[in-house]
Amino acid sequence: MQKASEMKVENLDHLGLIAGLIDEIGIVPKINELVGEQPGEIVSPGLVVKAMIINGLGMVSAPLYLFSKFFEGKAIEHLLGSGIQASHLNDDRLGRVLDKLYLSGITNIFTTIALEAAQKFEINTDTSHLDSSSFHLHGKYEQELTSVCFSSRETDSNQLDNSSINHQTSPIPIQITYGYSRDHRPDLKQFILDLICTGDGDVPLFLRAASGNESDNSIFASICQDFKKQLNLDTLMVADSALYTAPNLEMLTNLKWLTRVPLSLKQAQQLVSQLNESEFHQSSVTGYSWSEHKSNYGGIEQRWLVVESSLRRDADRRKLEKNLKKAEVEAQKKLRELSNIEFACSADASAAASRLSKQLKYHNLTQISSREATAKPATNSTISHDNSSSSSTFKVEAQLELDASVIAKETKASGRFILATNVLDASQLNPDEMIVKYKEQQSAERGFGFLKDPLFFTDSVFLKSPERIEALTLVMGLCLLVYTLGQRLLRQNLQLTNKTVKNQLGKGTNRPTLRWIFQSFQSIHAVCIQGIQQVSNLTSERLAILNLFPVTCRSYYFLL
């Protein structure tokens, strides 16, 4: 029987896949190059970031203050390198690395890594999608740090002293504050994360952290300009209606863009509500039709595409019916309340009825008249137009009718929205392509959905300074980069080899989520028996999946 002292069993699970993808992308050496290593460091900044990504994609709710405990019982030396222990990944070491990442510029670090990965993995960058979301935090965050000169600068750098560091060379930290909450938590302070992803595999290419009260309308154009400057890609920038303002469009003359036109614009409202069904062309995209028009909004020549979705049209019309019923109940209530009010004269009664009629969205008051109420003795407070000893009061009488013209406009406009682009040549971007590329805007939304998942450590963001929170967003973005590249690579290889893997229902699919693959790799162990390393529980199904990943992933399971 094997003695326990001669055998060591550690959890490996899906963490070898994550470590291999990190190695394939080249994150560790790139972080060390951009941030810098110091003599005597047991764990380099790149390896700390690798450990944080493994933690973030560990699919367990393990916030950073339990970081070292996450690696207890796991094959940490196998994943990170010989001699590295969980105790080396303590709060102090993590904090110092987060400080270094912040000082080096998180956007610059991320775009450098992402662009090289996009080139290596041959990501199609013809289309890029911009979106933003808020992340709320539990904590007061009443003030920023008095200085962004962290202690790590003093202890981690032998080449710099305090006099060589000043506020002018330090980035300006974001503000953790109240703002419009996409999470529906206006009671909590937050920060904003801006993300640009490709339509090819939802791979993120650009990341930026911002203060919690920043407005998309005021910053989206600048983000597009920064993206163009840093990555220098000939890409079509796709965004939601926050990008579509006259000042923004003026800033984007050197970029190709496709965005949604807000229906709050009077010109847009009129267009969607006046077009007849006969003016629409059936799209090759199932369920859509379109009508193309020219526009010069903001002094920028552009194409407007009024798009009608059959599914959305039906949903909008059902919603309109509900709104009409609700509006009628409220209008009847307001009319009853008005009918009980006594006015000093008939003119006042009629004027009040006219005001109410204008306030109603779907109804009008018709047959407006007034009737004399019971005469009352005159008092000092009675409003009267004569000096008689008694005065008459008047009450409103009216009928409530639907406003047919308003309902007709909303019925026509149902299911319709407008896309705009400055690509004037339809041969370069035809109407069907405009619809397809805008539908791919979900790539950024899916990225935010991933980052906000309760299993991801950002659900428990607790760091004490805006600077370190900003640095943490870089780790969040790198987690998303690793995940999306791994998922894209897996699906691509399944399609190339004409193979499938079993999904949660046991049926074959060539588009599995990487999360499901992670779950299917549970209970894999790294076993060392008398100095000989082995991996247990590698079933034939798991081996087949491993063969779809790069050799960097297979090596962690001793499959060279």
Side-chain angles (χ1 to χ4, degrees):
M1 180 180 295
Q2 180 67 51
K3 294 182 180 180
S5 61
E6 298 176 357
M7 181 172 65
K8 185 178 181 181
V9 180
E10 296 175 309
N11 292 333
L12 182 58
D13 301 328
H14 67 287
L15 304 183
L17 293 175
I18 301 170
L21 290 169
I22 294 170
D23 295 345
E24 187 71 13
I25 297 169
I27 292 177
V28 172
K30 184 55 65 174
I31 290 288
N32 289 335
E33 175 190 333
L34 296 172
V35 173
E37 296 182 76
Q38 298 301 325
E41 288 181 329
I42 299 176
V43 188
S44 71
L47 282 176
V48 171
V49 171
K50 180 178 181 179
M52 294 174 75
I53 296 172
I54 292 173
N55 178 211
L57 296 176
M59 297 302 160
V60 293
S61 184
L64 288 183
Y65 61 84
L66 295 177
F67 187 78
S68 60
K69 287 188 176 295
F70 170 81
F71 283 98
E72 291 180 0
K74 294 183 173 63
I76 185 169
E77 289 189 79
H78 185 54
L79 295 167
L80 298 179
S82 178
I84 297 178
Q85 303 298 322
S87 60
H88 296 145
L89 301 170
N90 51 50
D91 292 350
D92 182 64
R93 183 58 186 149
L94 265 64
R96 293 175 188 275
V97 171
L98 288 173
D99 294 346
K100 283 190 170 185
L101 294 172
Y102 169 78
L103 292 170
S104 299
I106 67 160
T107 297
N108 176 63
I109 293 173
F110 184 82
T111 51
T112 300
I113 294 173
L115 183 58
E116 289 186 7
Q119 294 171 343
K120 181 173 183 177
F121 286 77
E122 299 181 344
I123 304 296
N124 187 328
T125 57
D126 289 347
T127 306
S128 302
H129 300 266
L130 168 64
D131 204 353
S132 70
S133 192
S134 60
F135 289 78
H136 62 266
L137 301 103
H138 298 272
K140 292 184 179 180
Y141 294 92
E142 292 177 350
Q143 61 184 10
E144 298 173 2
L145 298 182
T146 56
S147 171
V148 296
C149 300
F150 301 103
S151 60
S152 62
R153 295 190 219 175
E154 303 169 16
T155 57
D156 284 357
S157 177
N158 298 324
Q159 300 176 351
L160 296 177
D161 57 27
N162 291 342
S163 62
S164 64
I165 302 171
N166 56 61
H167 294 277
Q168 284 71 36
T169 59
S170 302
I172 299 174
I174 61 174
Q175 292 183 336
I176 309 302
T177 186
Y178 298 104
Y180 174 72
S181 175
R182 280 82 159 182
D183 299 330
H184 308 292
R185 290 301 306 268
D187 57 312
L188 297 177
K189 293 183 178 181
Q190 62 180 26
F191 65 90
I192 302 295
L193 193 62
D194 300 309
L195 202 62
I196 297 179
C197 297
T198 66
D200 180 11
D202 304 343
V203 177
L205 296 179
F206 181 93
L207 176 142
R208 173 183 174 272
S211 299
N213 58 356
E214 185 176 82
S215 168
D216 292 349
N217 290 6
S218 64
I219 200 65
F220 265 14
S222 297
I223 293 174
C224 292
Q225 292 283 23
D226 290 343
F227 178 73
K228 173 73 173 178
K229 181 179 179 181
Q230 291 194 39
L231 276 73
N232 194 29
L233 298 176
D234 182 22
T235 186
L236 175 70
M237 184 60 65
V238 184
D240 61 22
S241 58
L243 181 64
Y244 198 86
T245 66
N248 282 352
L249 298 186
E250 188 176 354
M251 291 177 62
L252 299 177
T253 53
N254 63 332
L255 281 168
K256 296 184 295 184
W257 50 261
L258 169 67
T259 183
R260 188 164 176 166
V261 179
L263 292 181
S264 56
L265 294 179
K266 186 175 181 180
Q267 181 183 352
Q269 290 177 352
Q270 293 175 342
L271 185 59
V272 297
S273 62
Q274 292 175 357
L275 288 174
N276 296 316
E277 293 289 343
S278 59
E279 299 178 75
F280 282 81
H281 303 273
Q282 196 65 38
S283 172
S284 62
V285 183
T286 305
Y288 291 88
S289 55
W290 52 266
S291 179
E292 191 171 15
H293 304 265
K294 293 182 179 180
S295 174
N296 197 42
Y297 179 77
I300 305 299
E301 190 176 1
Q302 57 197 271
R303 294 157 58 205
W304 276 18
L305 192 72
V306 183
V307 183
E308 183 175 281
S309 163
S310 57
L311 287 176
R312 183 172 174 179
R313 178 191 61 211
D314 296 341
D316 284 353
R317 290 182 180 177
R318 288 193 297 270
K319 184 178 180 180
L320 177 60
E321 290 178 4
K322 291 181 179 179
N323 290 342
L324 288 175
K325 292 178 181 179
K326 182 179 179 180
E328 184 172 3
V329 172
E330 293 178 352
Q332 290 285 8
K333 179 182 177 181
K334 290 180 179 179
L335 179 57
R336 285 195 301 270
E337 292 173 349
L338 179 66
S339 300
N340 290 328
I341 299 175
E342 295 184 7
F343 295 89
C345 64
S346 176
D348 288 348
S350 298
S354 296
R355 287 196 297 271
L356 176 59
S357 184
K358 292 178 181 178
Q359 293 172 5
L360 301 177
K361 183 176 182 179
Y362 296 112
H363 296 81
N364 288 321
L365 293 183
T366 61
Q367 302 179 37
I368 298 175
S369 62
S370 60
R371 61 179 175 81
E372 188 174 349
T374 304
K376 296 181 179 179
T379 64
N380 291 336
S381 60
T382 302
I383 300 175
S384 176
H385 296 280
D386 56 44
N387 296 321
S388 61
S389 59
S390 65
S391 64
S392 297
T393 57
F394 297 84
K395 291 186 176 181
V396 170
E397 289 187 341
Q399 296 295 319
L400 191 68
E401 291 186 3
L402 288 171
D403 190 330
S405 61
V406 171
I407 296 172
K409 286 182 179 180
E410 287 215 8
T411 301
K412 268 190 175 182
S414 58
R416 294 177 180 177
F417 59 93
I418 300 177
L419 300 179
T421 181
N422 63 343
V423 180
L424 303 179
D425 188 351
S427 65
Q428 296 181 19
L429 185 65
N430 64 48
D432 289 339
E433 290 172 333
M434 290 174 67
I435 296 172
V436 170
K437 293 185 183 299
Y438 186 76
K439 281 169 64 69
E440 291 175 352
Q441 179 66 6
Q442 295 175 351
S443 62
E445 295 170 5
R446 283 190 290 267
F448 287 123
F450 170 84
L451 294 176
K452 292 187 177 186
D453 191 284
L455 290 178
F456 198 63
F457 57 35
T458 51
D459 186 54
S460 300
V461 172
F462 71 98
L463 300 180
K464 295 181 180 179
S465 75
E467 294 88 349
R468 287 187 177 177
I469 288 173
E470 190 169 347
L472 181 62
T473 64
L474 170 62
V475 181
M476 293 162 56
L478 292 175
C479 285
L480 181 60
L481 178 68
V482 170
Y483 184 90
T484 52
L485 284 173
Q487 182 169 268
R488 177 185 177 275
L489 182 63
L490 172 64
R491 292 177 175 180
Q492 189 177 54
N493 287 337
L494 283 170
Q495 293 173 358
L496 289 174
T497 57
N498 198 27
K499 294 180 179 178
T500 62
V501 297
K502 291 182 179 180
N503 62 15
Q504 293 91 326
L505 301 177
K507 296 182 179 179
T509 176
N510 63 358
R511 290 187 58 80
T513 65
L514 194 57
R515 168 173 292 180
W516 169 242
I517 299 301
F518 288 171
Q519 291 174 347
S520 66
F521 268 58
Q522 298 304 302
S523 300
I524 295 179
H525 301 101
V527 182
C528 183
I529 303 176
Q530 294 183 334
I532 300 176
Q533 292 186 320
Q534 304 176 38
V535 173
S536 66
N537 293 335
L538 277 182
T539 63
S540 58
E541 185 176 351
R542 289 169 173 172
L543 288 170
I545 293 174
L546 280 169
N547 285 325
L548 298 167
F549 285 92
V551 66
T552 50
C553 295
R554 299 198 298 272
S555 65
Y556 283 95
Y557 300 88
F558 308 119
L559 301 174
L560 298 178

